[in-house]
């Protein structure tokens, strides 16, 4: 909080009044001929700003500066490619398999998805799996197949970066770099991805507050990211009926109040395909600017997340989103 004194204020009297309220004056600033400002320190007692504004000798009170100024300054629009902008009225549809499994699979899917109005092809080459015994992704070759398939179908590409070692190779093929839920607070990875100077899709950690999510975005921006879109993918809850709990309150808050670009991933939130379409519709109603949906043309044989994969044709049930 910054307290600005009136021209004729008794500085010592105001200081005593502030201290009496439990406020710690971290510093005093006085410009050449201008008014005196007291900067109130963070550890101070919480006092209503109106109470401070009512003290004798106080001209005005302003709240402290934001802790994530770059996020606040970013605005709602995020340019992914020359043609694709997140944050506009027209939602962006991102779809593709959980993991890239072969060149044939991703090429086949890319063409089918493009015909269904999808603009960005997703697909993991490096997969963050809970168990080390599960499919871990096919790595570098999968990235090359993903890019070739997207180019052939006229799509942009998003793919996850899991390690600082892989930033350059993923950045060489992806238009949008994905930070997965499990890495939202890996600050050295955020810094390395930021230095690639590309737009980033920042998935919310399954246990992160909105404030922690905003700070993770600030890490990306302070290190040079071209912009950040926030991807809500469900937070952990007490209820195992769904894989996670889709937090649409956070979507409305970030999209509608903070005016930041927001994408919703109903696939990882629900964990089951029968809930994807209703959750996707609800996400758009809450203000999401994009959807990221897992699809597979043979879900029963998917290497990962088959239970939540939609058949490509099922995207048509969303109605026209883009
Ligand atoms: C993914 O989108 O491929 C993924 C692994 O999701 P999350 O990080 O949200 O679990
Ligand atoms: Mn998945």
């Amino acid at each position: 909080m910054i307290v600005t004194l009136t021209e004729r204020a008794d500085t010592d009297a105001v200081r005593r009044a502030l201290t009496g309220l439990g406020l710690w004056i971290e510093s005093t600033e006085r410009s050449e001929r201008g008014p005196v400002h007291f900067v109130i320190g963070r550890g101070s007692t919480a006092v209503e700003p109106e109470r401070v504004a009512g003290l004798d000798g106080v001209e005005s009170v302003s709240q402290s500066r934001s802790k994530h100024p770059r996020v606040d300054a970013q605005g709602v629009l995020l340019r992914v490619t020359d043609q694709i902008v997140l944050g506009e009225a027209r939602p962006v549809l991102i779809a593709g398999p959980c993991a890239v499994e072969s060149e044939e699979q991703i090429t086949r899917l890319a063409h089918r998805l493009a015909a269904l109005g999808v603009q960005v092809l997703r697909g993991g080459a490096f997969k963050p799996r809970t168990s080390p015994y599960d499919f871990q992704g096919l790595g570098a070759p999968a990235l090359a197949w993903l890019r070739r398939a997207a180019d052939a179908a006229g799509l942009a590409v998003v793919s996850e970066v899991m390690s600082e070692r892989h930033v350059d190779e993923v950045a060489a093929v992806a238009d949008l770099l994905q930070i997965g839920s499990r890495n939202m607070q890996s600050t050295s990875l955020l810094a390395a991805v930021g230095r690639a100077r590309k737009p980033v899709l920042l998935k919310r950690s399954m246990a992160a507050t909105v404030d922690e999510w905003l700070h993770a975005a600030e890490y990306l921006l302070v290190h040079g990211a071209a912009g950040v879109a926030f991807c809500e993918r469900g937070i952990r809850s007490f209820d195992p009926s769904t894989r996670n709990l889709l937090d649409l309150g956070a979507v409305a808050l970030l999209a509608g109040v903070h005016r930041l670009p927001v994408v919703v991933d109903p696939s990882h939130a629900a964990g089951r395909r029968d809930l994807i379409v209703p959750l996707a519709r609800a996400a758009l109603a809450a203000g999401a600017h994009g959807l990221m949906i897992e699809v597979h043309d043979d879900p029963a044989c998917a290497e990962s997340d088959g239970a939540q994969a939609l058949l490509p044709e099922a995207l048509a049930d969303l109605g026209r989103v883009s």
Side-chain angles (χ1 to χ4, degrees), residues 5 25 27 37 64 90 101 104-105 111 126 131-132 144 152 159 174 177 199 261 270 279 302 304 316:
L5 275 51
I25 299 170
S27 62
H37 303 280
S64 5
R90 184 172 169 237
E101 296 171 2
E104 295 67 38
Q105 171 231 26
H111 287 288
F126 301 100
S131 166
S159 201
L177 299 177
L279 288 182
S304 54

Side-chain angles (χ1 to χ4, degrees), residues 122 127-128 160 178 180-182 203 233 268 292 294:
R122 64 148 287 147
K127 293 302 305 172
E160 176 165 350
Q178 179 173 323
S181 193
R182 289 156 190 80
K203 297 195 91 172
R233 46 78 74 205
H268 291 90
M292 179 153 85
E294 287 190 344

Side-chain angles (χ1 to χ4, degrees), residues 15 27-28 60 134 153 156 162 178 185 187 226-227 269 272 274 289 316:
R15 188 190 299 277
S27 62
T28 305
S60 64
D134 287 343
M162 277 179 56
Q178 179 173 323
Q185 285 181 309
T187 52
R272 42 189 283 178
D274 56 351
H289 306 105

Side-chain angles (χ1 to χ4, degrees), residues 34-55:
V36 172
H37 303 280
F38 287 138
V39 179
I40 307 298
R42 284 246 184 90
S44 299
T45 312
V47 175
E48 290 297 316
E50 296 74 34
R51 212 162 148 211
V52 177
L55 294 173

Side-chain angles (χ1 to χ4, degrees), residues 257-291:
V257 179
H258 291 265
R259 300 295 297 141
L260 291 164
V262 178
V263 171
V264 167
D265 167 358
S267 307
H268 291 90
R272 42 189 283 178
R273 78 175 59 84
D274 56 351
L275 302 182
I276 307 299
V277 170
L279 288 182
R281 290 203 189 114
L284 293 179
H289 306 105
L291 295 169

